[in-house]
Amino acid sequence: MSADAQSPNLSAGCIRVRGARVHNLQGIDVDIPRQLLTVITGVSGSGKSSLAFDVIHAESQRRYLESLSAETRSRVGVWQRPDVDVIDGLPPTISVGQSAGSGSLRSTLATTTEILDYLRLLFARCGEAHCPKCGRPLSARSPQEIVEQILALEVGRKVMILAPLVRGKRGAHRDVFETIAKAGFVRARVDGELIEASQPPALAKTKSHSIEAIVDRIVVKAGLQARLRESVELALKYGDGTVILCEQSPDGWEDHAYSSRFACADCAVSFSELDPRTFSFNSPHGACLSCRGLGVIVPAETDHDAISERQSERQELCSDCGGSRLNPFAQGVRFRGITLPELLRKTVSEAVGIVAQWQTSEVSKTSEVSVTRVLERTLPAIRGRLDFLIRVGADYLSLDRPTRTLSGGEFQRARLAACLGSGLVGACYVLDEPTVGLHPKDTEAMIATLRELRDQGNTVLVVEHDPDVMRSADHLIDLGPGAGADGGRVIAYGSPSDVADNPQSVTGQFVGRALLPDQGRARVPDLRSGRESRWLALANVSVHNLSDISVRIPLRALTAITGVSGSGKTSLVHHALVPQVRQHLAHRLGGETDAIARLVEVTQSPIGRTPTSNPATYSGVWDEICRLYSQTRDSKLRGFRASRFKFNSPSGRCEACRGRGVQRVRLQLLPDVFVTCPTCRGERFNSATLQVRFYGRTAADVLRLRIDEAAELFTNIPRVAAVLKTFREVGLGYLRLGQSATTLSGGEAQRVKLATELSRESTESTLFVLDEPTTGLHPADVERLLSLLRRLVSAGHTVVVIEHHLEVIAQSDWLIDLGPDGGLRGGQIVAEGAPADVVARGIGHTALALAK
């Protein structure tokens, strides 16, 4: 696609890419119109993500990093320029991907959408504090009450009166020390250490510090009332309403903070002034001390991956904060009768109703001016982001939902809602399949959201397989014709109709095509036959939002569980069906013949959370390949065993990166960056290990092979060839054998698991449970997956899939549709039966989508 081949109406105002050769891109030239909705499509592995993320977004990120300070750039190192000749007209890009699993352990839906930022300001400025002990509203302590508190101490007790000037803030704070000197204070306390005010220490700008001016030092005795009052008032003045009394005790010095704003006279406790940090579980000022703001209690030595797993299961909630992550004082602050944790536990749709009441309440009209201004600033921003979440189909999620427990599609929609709320203009949004996990009913709302981003003056670049999104694009770019080395070329471009009319485009065949007709298969047993042995029955299921439902699933058939997001599909399948089948299998009698002898649950959870996990290691293929390398002549001469070629072997791996091939660079205020290991240059192994070759290839060379290529190399190795053949059958031939698990989408991870399982020989009748297996698949690849699922059914197995893809739903034997909507409005059986019968009845969103 040359520069002069562009449509005349797109020649101006474009992102011009010339000679892109990243991964499998074949030196392509492409123009992407700015301020329009462009969809990049093509079969899996054709180079879509390479163009969108590894060329356009990567180059924009590189240019941004070059604008940072020399100190920051030195930490990142040399950020490699994408292998491309020219990129012109590139605006700042924002990547909205599906990498929920890599988010912070402290990240929630509310933080991801920035809703919590506005709620923190709202509760800090307009909330009413309550005593955590007795629950009564807190009152301010007068200077006289603070003086009396000091005089009540035993005679002879040493006390320091301090004015807090800086509390846990980064910076050198030279101006603060100047203020202390000008005020005439002789001493100060910096991070707990006493210093002379005339000789302030040099503080690290990048670290947090606490600084207090020492206003007075006394020994408690009679006759100090006047002096104490003057000192306390002076400390309150410089401490912005807060004074710290540091008294000596047998165990050392103890601090007691008193505020002229918040204090409980009955409980004899006081608290600092309300501040947005008070409601931040990422700050020591707001986080629960027991769980450190995580909401769960875990051993100190437990790694982050284990924490995230336990967090995702909602186990071992912190007993002190009840999972709210906040300290008792922050939990007790109320606004209009509700606390922040109570609000965050609400779903998006429930929170919208509460905020709407706040906006129409007469209380805001009678509030003081400062409070009214805060309400005018925060409430519309909160309401707007909640509305955006509803529009992108995330209304059923709770605001305190941990980001790591979101699916890739849910996380991307949350990020998209934040982008809409930011109101940015002139940016380029790069999205990775935003319709993943969406029911066709919600796809229309997603398309409207993408158009709104465009209409705000932004460029929207979407990698997508959904035909409805393709048809809605202003500009369509089809890559292919195949995957890997067979792809990476521009096959068609232009309007959706232009691509549909192009006979060379595989995608074009699906853009204007209706669903394949239902073949009317009659293998499903008749409900009226009463042959219960051919059905898997679940009775009176009440899990999450499921309300005492009973369903039957036909054996040796393909059953699709459908419904809008949050309707109860996951609850029915993973929290009801799977546990009951497991229990049945665990208690069946030995030798008993059964219609289900084995259960295989295949989810979209990652196959690993570290760069050393990949399809080769997960499937066990790498163990076989390591044995092959250990049997070569070079290995035998050197005494290398199979373990030498594994990433966890210190003898064979690169110790600089510990076999990862990349090194993590942590940046302040920016996401972590992974850079190629400078020692092994991404090879993962040390130089001695790389001396061994198999058919001329090192172990690093084999890991870089596509699965299609590896299948040809190991065609005479039965154990390896059988696994790789199955990988190709599920549409994963384009993946690199050693592709990091952290880069795999949820759909790819699920197909890796499915291929691994199918490659194991088993004659037992099996129940296969899959969660949206079509995620990330081109329509042409969906047909291949359907063929594989049909083979499983023909072999006597039972297949249950949670699915939104209409092609799979239409081709299933049995359909169970949940709803009618999500959350509390879901959890009911809307329709069940053969797809044609469900369509004929016309009840529910799925039936309507199929009918269209």
Side-chain angles (χ1 to χ4, degrees):
M1 182 171 169
S2 60
D4 56 359
Q6 303 299 307
S7 303
N9 60 325
L10 300 179
S11 59
C14 291
I15 302 173
R16 296 175 62 252
V17 179
R18 297 292 179 267
R21 293 174 294 274
V22 174
H23 298 154
N24 68 329
L25 296 180
Q26 307 293 318
I28 64 172
D29 300 341
V30 63
D31 285 357
I32 299 170
R34 291 202 300 266
Q35 298 185 9
L36 291 180
L37 171 58
T38 297
V39 172
I40 302 176
T41 189
V43 298
S44 301
S46 59
K48 305 180 299 297
S49 296
S50 296
L51 176 58
F53 292 94
D54 300 327
V55 173
I56 294 173
H57 177 61
E59 174 60 11
S60 177
Q61 191 177 35
R62 184 188 70 85
R63 294 180 184 182
Y64 170 72
L65 289 172
E66 284 188 344
S67 69
L68 299 178
S69 66
E71 179 184 354
T72 301
R73 292 201 308 272
S74 66
R75 295 186 61 196
V76 177
V78 178
W79 188 264
Q80 187 174 2
R81 185 177 186 273
D83 189 3
V84 59
D85 293 337
V86 176
I87 300 183
D88 287 335
L90 181 62
T93 64
I94 300 173
S95 171
V96 187
Q98 299 182 19
S99 55
S102 62
S104 167
L105 295 174
R106 302 177 185 276
S107 178
T108 66
L109 179 65
T111 62
T112 299
T113 55
E114 300 176 355
I115 289 174
L116 185 58
D117 293 337
Y118 289 97
L119 286 174
R120 287 167 49 209
L121 178 61
L122 175 67
F123 274 79
R125 298 292 178 258
C126 307
E128 182 181 17
H130 291 74
C131 176
K133 293 185 177 181
C134 65
R136 295 182 181 178
L138 296 179
S139 59
R141 281 207 171 188
S142 66
Q144 183 59 35
E145 290 174 328
I146 298 174
V147 169
E148 292 174 355
Q149 184 74 25
I150 299 173
L151 293 175
L153 297 174
E154 62 186 50
V155 175
R157 180 72 61 90
K158 295 180 179 179
V159 177
M160 290 191 295
I161 301 174
L162 299 89
L165 303 179
V166 175
R167 292 178 289 177
K169 290 185 179 180
R170 293 187 181 94
H173 303 298
R174 305 299 302 177
D175 57 331
V176 176
F177 291 115
E178 292 176 1
T179 300
I180 293 174
K182 289 180 180 179
F185 299 126
V186 178
R187 298 175 183 82
R189 190 174 68 173
V190 180
D191 298 334
E193 298 291 332
L194 299 183
I195 60 123
E196 296 292 328
S198 59
Q199 299 176 346
L203 301 180
K205 295 188 298 183
T206 58
K207 294 184 178 180
S208 298
H209 303 284
S210 295
I211 304 174
E212 299 101 5
I214 299 178
V215 177
D216 200 355
R217 298 193 298 178
I218 64 161
V219 176
V220 177
K221 60 182 180 179
L224 289 178
Q225 187 165 358
R227 175 180 170 180
L228 283 176
R229 184 178 180 91
E230 181 181 354
S231 298
V232 168
E233 290 178 345
L234 192 60
L236 289 172
K237 174 185 175 182
Y238 283 94
D240 195 23
T242 301
V243 60
I244 296 176
L245 302 183
C246 183
E247 61 178 271
Q248 191 179 38
S249 68
D251 298 327
W253 291 86
E254 295 180 359
D255 282 357
H256 300 279
Y258 295 92
S259 173
S260 59
R261 295 179 176 87
F262 298 113
C264 178
D266 295 334
C267 299
V269 292
S270 59
F271 305 90
S272 301
E273 180 184 4
L274 286 179
D275 182 89
R277 292 182 300 174
T278 306
F279 305 96
S280 172
F281 40 75
N282 294 320
S283 166
H285 296 275
C288 169
L289 294 178
S290 299
C291 65
R292 296 170 294 169
L294 291 175
V296 293
I297 298 295
V298 293
E301 66 274 10
T302 304
D303 62 23
H304 281 194
D305 293 341
I307 293 175
S308 69
E309 291 297 328
R310 300 172 89 162
Q311 190 181 53
S312 65
E313 297 172 3
R314 294 283 186 172
Q315 294 180 349
E316 300 186 36
L317 288 181
C318 173
S319 58
D320 288 343
C321 68
S324 72
R325 304 168 179 248
L326 296 174
N327 62 40
F329 176 57
Q331 291 183 59
V333 179
R334 293 182 174 272
F335 175 73
R336 307 281 170 83
I338 190 171
T339 66
L340 182 58
E342 289 171 348
L343 179 61
L344 293 177
R345 282 193 286 268
K346 304 291 185 182
T347 64
V348 171
S349 57
E350 293 170 337
V352 163
I354 294 173
V355 175
Q357 291 180 351
W358 289 351
Q359 288 182 299
T360 58
S361 174
E362 293 296 322
V363 176
S364 62
K365 299 180 181 179
T366 59
S367 299
E368 57 187 74
V369 176
S370 60
V371 172
T372 301
R373 288 177 178 173
V374 172
L375 295 175
E376 290 174 348
R377 178 183 175 186
T378 57
L379 293 184
I382 296 169
R383 175 69 182 275
R385 282 164 171 77
L386 291 171
D387 287 338
F388 288 138
L389 282 171
I390 291 176
R391 288 168 53 186
V392 299
D395 56 307
Y396 60 95
L397 297 173
S398 63
L399 292 175
D400 65 350
R401 177 81 172 264
T403 299
R404 287 202 167 196
T405 67
L406 298 176
S407 68
E410 289 170 338
F411 174 71
Q412 185 169 211
R413 292 195 291 277
R415 288 281 315 279
L416 189 56
C419 293
L420 283 166
S422 68
L424 286 178
V425 175
C428 175
Y429 289 93
V430 185
L431 296 95
D432 185 12
E433 297 186 62
T435 62
V436 165
L438 279 184
H439 189 276
K441 161 186 168 289
D442 297 317
T443 299
E444 298 177 3
M446 173 59 70
I447 293 171
T449 300
L450 298 177
R451 286 173 171 165
E452 183 171 345
L453 268 180
R454 173 202 64 187
D455 294 341
Q456 289 178 354
N458 299 297
T459 302
V460 183
L461 186 59
V462 181
V463 175
E464 187 56 84
H465 292 299
D466 189 283
D468 287 334
V469 179
M470 297 181 201
R471 286 188 282 265
S472 302
D474 300 314
H475 191 64
L476 200 58
I477 300 173
D478 185 31
L479 299 183
D486 299 327
R489 294 185 287 274
V490 177
I491 303 302
Y493 65 93
S495 67
S497 60
D498 292 337
V499 175
D501 294 338
N502 191 319
Q504 296 182 340
S505 172
V506 176
T507 302
Q509 301 173 23
F510 295 90
V511 172
R513 195 192 82 176
L515 291 175
L516 291 173
D518 183 9
Q519 302 300 317
R521 287 171 290 276
R523 287 195 304 272
V524 178
D526 190 344
L527 279 170
R528 294 171 295 178
S529 69
R531 298 181 62 182
E532 298 296 334
S533 61
R534 300 188 63 186
W535 293 85
L536 181 60
L538 293 175
N540 309 115
V541 178
S542 296
V543 179
H544 298 154
N545 67 333
L546 297 179
S547 305
D548 194 30
I549 66 171
S550 298
V551 297
R552 291 196 292 179
I553 298 170
L555 300 173
R556 299 184 179 182
L558 171 59
T559 298
I561 311 296
T562 66
V564 300
S565 299
S567 59
K569 303 183 297 297
T570 299
S571 297
L572 175 62
V573 174
H574 294 295
H575 300 146
L577 172 64
V578 169
Q580 289 200 29
V581 171
R582 281 200 180 122
Q583 184 178 13
H584 167 75
L585 294 177
H587 291 87
R588 63 177 181 160
L589 298 176
E592 177 187 358
T593 58
D594 205 321
I596 296 178
R598 199 166 64 106
L599 169 67
V600 174
E601 183 184 15
V602 187
T603 67
Q604 293 195 19
S605 60
I607 63 172
R609 294 187 181 273
T610 65
T612 55
S613 299
N614 55 54
T617 57
Y618 182 84
S619 63
V621 162
W622 192 243
D623 291 335
E624 296 294 331
I625 295 176
C626 289
R627 277 192 280 270
L628 289 176
Y629 270 89
S630 68
Q631 294 169 7
T632 62
R633 181 172 180 272
D634 288 340
S635 286
K636 291 180 178 179
L637 288 174
R638 292 173 169 82
F640 290 173
R641 296 184 178 181
S643 59
R644 174 91 189 193
F645 303 93
K646 295 184 178 181
F647 307 130
N648 59 357
S649 170
S651 62
R653 71 187 180 190
C654 168
E655 279 302 299
C657 63
R658 301 179 69 82
R660 294 178 173 88
V662 294
Q663 293 181 349
R664 182 197 296 263
V665 179
R666 300 186 182 276
L667 300 176
Q668 292 182 358
L669 306 178
L670 290 172
D672 293 346
V673 173
F674 287 93
V675 297
T676 302
C677 174
T679 302
C680 68
R681 298 181 180 180
E683 298 283 272
R684 299 173 179 249
F685 300 99
N686 57 36
S687 58
T689 307
L690 294 175
Q691 297 300 312
V692 180
R693 295 177 180 270
F694 179 82
Y695 282 100
R697 289 183 170 89
T698 66
D701 294 333
V702 171
L703 288 170
R704 281 192 290 267
L705 291 177
R706 289 189 299 112
I707 288 175
D708 284 334
E709 298 168 332
E712 298 297 327
L713 176 65
F714 296 105
T715 187
N716 295 322
I717 313 297
R719 291 184 179 179
V720 177
V723 177
L724 298 183
K725 179 187 176 199
T726 311
F727 269 77
R728 299 173 77 179
E729 289 177 341
V730 298
L732 292 178
Y734 64 93
L735 285 183
R736 302 282 176 186
L737 200 60
Q739 185 165 334
S740 172
T742 59
T743 67
L744 298 179
S745 68
E748 288 171 334
Q750 181 172 211
R751 290 194 295 280
V752 168
K753 297 176 185 177
L754 180 61
T756 302
E757 184 59 43
L758 293 179
S759 65
R760 298 168 181 160
E761 296 182 2
S762 175
T763 58
E764 294 181 303
S765 58
T766 304
L767 171 62
F768 287 91
V769 176
L770 295 92
D771 192 350
E772 297 188 59
T774 61
T775 298
L777 284 184
H778 186 273
D781 297 315
V782 172
E783 292 185 352
R784 296 176 61 185
L785 179 64
L786 268 170
S787 176
L788 179 63
L789 298 180
R790 282 270 154 237
R791 281 168 46 194
L792 289 175
V793 172
S794 299
H797 301 300
T798 302
V799 181
V800 176
V801 296
I802 298 174
E803 193 53 80
H804 290 299
H805 199 289
L806 290 179
E807 196 80 62
V808 176
I809 297 172
Q811 295 299 306
S812 62
D813 299 312
W814 196 253
L815 174 60
I816 299 175
D817 189 35
L818 298 176
D821 293 302
L824 297 177
R825 299 189 300 275
Q828 300 292 331
I829 301 295
V830 175
E832 57 182 329
D837 295 337
V838 172
V839 171
R841 289 194 291 271
I843 301 175
H845 296 302
T846 301
L848 296 176
L850 286 171
K852 290 173 64 176

